[in-house]
């Protein structure tokens, strides 16, 4: 169903292109995140994860409208306990184009890329009412711990394959260098 939603959004907005994030996009992506989340974003647990496991450009995307980057989504390769996963975020869209479905389309593009890359689950910290219609589920309280304070009711995951959330538990950390932060 999410892929059908993205296709509908793209049909409604054929002037928007979704491209893999490139180094040349870094400043625009930073500006969009600053605009959406402000300086407080650096104190969030999700930011601790992104510091440990930088985003994966091949799984991160920008939305381009009339030559300008108007939205972005990043994904990082992480571990939850001993299981590999992706962490989504930040997802941000510039205010003038909010409400057009670009955030939903970016979520769907990211999920499709993760699935195509052989990933099994995407984790994020966010608002359940926004993410649940896209297949994300609130994880059982205490099953997944972030490397810093995070509201456990806002820790969600999207299974990319059947059974991906079964037994999912543990501390979130970098996939490449396993280290525990914030103990």
């Amino acid at each position: 169903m999410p892929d059908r939603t993205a296709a509908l959004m793209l049909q409604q907005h054929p002037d928007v292109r979704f491209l893999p994030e490139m180094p040349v996009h870094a400043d625009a992506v930073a500006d969009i995140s600053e605009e959406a989340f402000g300086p407080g974003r650096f104190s969030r647990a999700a930011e601790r994860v992104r510091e440990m496991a930088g985003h994966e450009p091949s799984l991160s995307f920008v939305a381009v409208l009339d030559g300008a980057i108007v939205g972005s989504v990043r994904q990082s390769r992480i571990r939850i306990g001993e299981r590999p996963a992706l962490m989504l975020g930040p997802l941000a869209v510039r205010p003038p184009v909010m409400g057009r479905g670009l955030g939903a389309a970016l979520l769907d593009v990211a999920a499709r890329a993760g699935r195509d890359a052989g990933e099994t689950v995407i984790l994020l910290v966010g608002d359940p009412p926004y993410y649940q219609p896209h297949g994300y589920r609130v994880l059982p309280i205490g099953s997944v711990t972030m490397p810093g304070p995070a509201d456990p009711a806002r820790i969600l995951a999207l299974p990319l394959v059947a059974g991906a959330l079964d037994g999912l538990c543990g501390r979130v950390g970098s996939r490449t260098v396993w280290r525990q932060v914030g103990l």
Side-chain angles (χ1 to χ4, degrees):
M1 183 164 146
D3 288 338
R4 185 173 33 212
T5 302
L8 179 60
M9 293 301 169
L10 294 175
Q11 287 174 354
Q12 292 175 343
H13 305 290
D15 51 341
V16 177
R17 292 182 305 139
F18 297 91
L19 306 172
E21 183 182 328
M22 305 293 289
V24 70
H25 301 138
D27 288 341
V29 171
D31 290 346
I32 291 169
S33 291
E34 169 68 24
E35 190 174 37
F37 303 110
R41 72 189 182 282
F42 295 115
S43 66
R44 298 178 177 178
E47 188 63 28
R48 300 292 73 77
V49 174
R50 288 189 280 276
E51 288 172 354
M52 290 187 293
H55 79 282
E56 176 62 46
S58 67
L59 299 172
S60 301
F61 300 89
V62 295
V64 180
L65 174 65
D66 296 329
I69 296 174
V70 295
S72 69
V73 63
R74 284 184 164 173
Q75 297 191 93
S76 302
R77 293 182 190 271
I78 63 165
R79 282 194 172 279
I80 302 171
E82 293 300 318
R83 290 178 54 187
L86 293 174
M87 177 138 183
L88 188 135
L91 167 69
V93 175
R94 292 207 184 266
V97 295
M98 284 182 167
R100 293 185 55 182
L102 297 181
L106 282 163
L107 282 176
D108 293 337
V109 167
R112 190 171 27 255
R115 194 175 296 113
D116 290 349
E119 299 291 341
T120 61
V121 65
I122 299 175
L123 179 79
L124 64 77
V125 179
D127 295 321
Y130 181 80
Y131 292 101
Q132 286 175 322
H134 304 285
Y136 284 84
R137 301 178 194 158
V138 176
L139 294 175
I141 303 296
S143 62
V144 172
T145 54
M146 299 293 290
D151 180 350
R154 293 171 45 90
I155 300 175
L156 297 95
L158 174 70
L160 298 176
V161 298
L165 301 185
D166 296 346
L168 185 66
C169 65
R171 189 161 194 74
V172 174
S174 171
R175 188 182 299 186
T176 56
V177 178
W178 179 247
R179 57 185 174 153
Q180 294 184 343
V181 177
L183 295 178

